[in-house]
Amino acid sequence: MIDLRVTLKALAIAIPFLYVTSASAQDVLSRDAGELLDRLSTLTAEEEAVEANRLAAEIQERWTHSGSAAIDLLLTRGQDAIAEGDYVRAITHLTALTDHAPDFAEGWNQRATAFFLMDRYGEAMSDIEQVLILEPRHFGALTGLGIILESLGEPKAALRAFERAQDIHPADDNINGAVERLGTQTGERTL
């Protein structure tokens, strides 16, 4: 069985960091991320999987750019603390981030990860809700939501979350596997 905690932790710490210092640069990155998301949602075939994974990594990297060196530093400190297993310290840094930059979706997403890893599912889901308000196509947050809902014994709701993530990133093997597994488990898909 897949260890959902390890998977979510790996997703949280695998995003590379690059610092952007101007708000106008952040606007460009956000706009470009939207264009990349549009392209990502069209890549499904096996031969397109390499390009889809490249696009997904580029999108995730762009989501880490707040436009402020101070906010980016808080994100880095929060992610470093998650990687070290110090979830309390991670939440402290990421709460400071979300307090000072409430429109920066990745701060909420990373804090949701830390909450999940502490078994604080309600708070994690609340933060994921905020991520999806700010960036409805955040396939990482949707995947995290699916993992949480599955952990809570809600396979049909988890399936819906994974299906939404699959609509955005149809070439992701992990998302596709979750949709297939949960679809079969819930009887909504047959072998």
Side-chain angles (χ1 to χ4, degrees):
M1 179 170 185
I2 296 173
D3 185 345
L4 299 176
R5 289 178 187 284
V6 172
T7 302
L8 192 56
K9 185 175 180 180
L11 287 171
I13 62 177
I15 299 171
F17 298 99
L18 182 66
Y19 296 98
V20 176
T21 58
S22 74
S24 62
Q26 173 59 30
D27 292 341
V28 170
L29 289 170
S30 294
R31 187 172 44 255
D32 290 345
E35 293 167 9
L36 294 173
L37 281 160
D38 291 341
R39 287 179 38 209
L40 179 64
S41 68
T42 66
L43 301 175
T44 59
E46 191 171 306
E47 62 271 6
E48 295 175 319
V50 171
E51 175 64 4
N53 290 331
R54 186 196 67 74
L55 281 174
E58 188 172 342
I59 291 163
Q60 288 173 320
E61 179 183 320
R62 290 172 190 238
W63 281 338
T64 66
H65 304 304
S66 70
S68 163
I71 296 303
D72 290 347
L73 179 61
L74 286 171
L75 181 66
T76 298
R77 287 182 176 171
Q79 287 191 306
D80 288 348
I82 289 171
E84 295 165 9
D86 189 347
Y87 308 130
V88 172
R89 185 168 52 96
I91 290 169
T92 299
H93 290 302
L94 296 166
T95 298
L97 187 160
T98 57
D99 287 349
H100 290 91
D103 293 334
F104 182 46
E106 196 56 30
W108 296 99
N109 187 54
Q110 292 302 310
R111 194 172 76 166
T113 299
F115 280 137
F116 171 79
L117 292 168
M118 292 183 70
D119 296 327
R120 293 167 63 177
Y121 299 143
E123 291 158 300
M125 289 175 58
S126 178
D127 280 3
I128 289 171
E129 179 181 19
Q130 189 61 37
V131 173
L132 296 174
I133 288 168
L134 296 168
E135 178 48 75
R137 296 188 293 176
H138 198 298
F139 53 87
L142 288 164
T143 301
L145 179 61
I147 290 169
I148 291 169
L149 291 168
E150 187 173 5
S151 295
L152 293 173
E154 298 290 338
K156 287 185 179 187
L159 175 61
R160 299 293 166 259
F162 282 119
E163 286 174 335
R164 284 181 56 200
Q166 186 181 51
D167 288 343
I168 301 159
H169 191 353
D172 186 285
D173 291 337
N174 292 324
I175 295 170
N176 292 334
V179 168
E180 184 177 324
R181 182 183 72 255
L182 289 167
T184 302
Q185 179 184 338
T186 61
E188 297 198 20
R189 290 201 167 91
T190 58
L191 297 175

